[in-house]
Amino acid sequence: MQGPNTSTKSFKQAFLKNLLLGLQLHARTSTSFGSSAMNLHERKLAVKFYANVAMAAARCATRTDARWPSAILASEAGASPSSGACKMQRCRTIVSRCCRRKRSWIRSGRAGAGAVARRLLRTRTMALRDVIPGGRDAAVDQATLLREAMDYAVHLRAQVDVLRHLSEAVQRSSSISRQGQQ
């Protein structure tokens, strides 16, 4: 039986492998990735795109009981690396809409505490369905949605750790190469 650290470590290794393969493929197929023709924002979107795909592919390789990896792979299949801005705007809209509704319900005071709690639960569940890939599927009940959300959050954290370590390694190597050139 594997412990949680072993599972996370194998996920991180698979994620890093998939990310590097995706970025290498993009660099080979795109003439502008390494050149100055691609601006910083386009590079950021390309890295985010390939990080999402690598995370989903690594999760599918380690375990198959989660729904969100297949939802990410399905949504990213027809997308290009520059389509991430729409998702971010949609998430911001959902959060602001949810906060406005909550304030209006609390101020009105017309409904009982149970009704307000049920509305808040329903609203937050719908917001969570919008954030979690594959959460809008009608077959997903609340317990499954919460398990998916926890699993997705754990793997997003692992993605952040790997990308942070990768960034630190690139910064260290670039500083060492600059010191060697002096």
Side-chain angles (χ1 to χ4, degrees), residues 2-179:
Q2 289 185 345
N5 291 338
T6 308
S7 175
T8 304
K9 186 176 180 182
S10 65
F11 169 78
K12 288 180 179 180
Q13 289 172 345
F15 168 73
L16 185 59
K17 178 184 169 190
N18 291 335
L19 176 64
L20 293 176
L21 288 174
L23 290 174
Q24 287 173 350
L25 176 68
H26 185 73
R28 270 188 260 131
T29 58
S30 173
T31 58
S32 63
F33 188 73
S35 69
S36 60
M38 187 177 211
N39 65 27
L40 183 63
H41 182 69
E42 290 170 340
R43 286 183 190 182
K44 181 182 104 174
L45 290 177
V47 168
K48 184 177 177 182
F49 173 81
Y50 287 107
N52 285 339
V53 171
M55 182 175 72
R59 177 65 172 123
C60 286
T62 56
R63 288 181 59 192
T64 58
D65 60 344
R67 296 173 187 242
W68 61 263
S70 56
I72 287 177
L73 292 174
S75 69
E76 301 288 354
S80 66
S82 62
S83 65
C86 181
K87 290 181 186 176
M88 182 60 86
Q89 183 60 36
R90 187 176 64 215
C91 289
R92 286 181 184 154
T93 305
I94 292 166
V95 170
S96 65
R97 189 181 325 137
C98 179
C99 291
R100 277 195 308 263
R101 285 183 187 161
K102 185 171 86 171
R103 281 191 294 256
S104 67
W105 291 337
I106 292 171
R107 287 182 193 152
S108 69
R110 284 179 264 154
V116 171
R118 279 190 297 275
R119 272 190 251 145
L120 285 174
L121 178 64
R122 188 171 43 244
T123 303
R124 290 179 181 171
T125 302
M126 290 308 295
L128 189 59
R129 284 183 185 276
D130 289 338
V131 173
I132 303 299
R136 286 194 163 246
D137 187 10
V140 178
D141 61 339
Q142 285 184 349
T144 305
L145 181 67
L146 290 174
R147 275 194 303 275
E148 291 282 321
M150 288 186 291
D151 186 59
Y152 187 58
V154 165
H155 287 84
L156 281 176
R157 179 63 189 183
Q159 179 187 25
V160 168
D161 289 343
V162 169
L163 290 173
R164 185 178 344 107
H165 290 315
L166 186 62
S167 172
E168 290 170 357
V170 167
Q171 287 175 353
R172 277 194 306 267
S173 69
S174 66
S175 68
I176 289 172
S177 67
R178 273 188 252 132
Q179 289 175 355

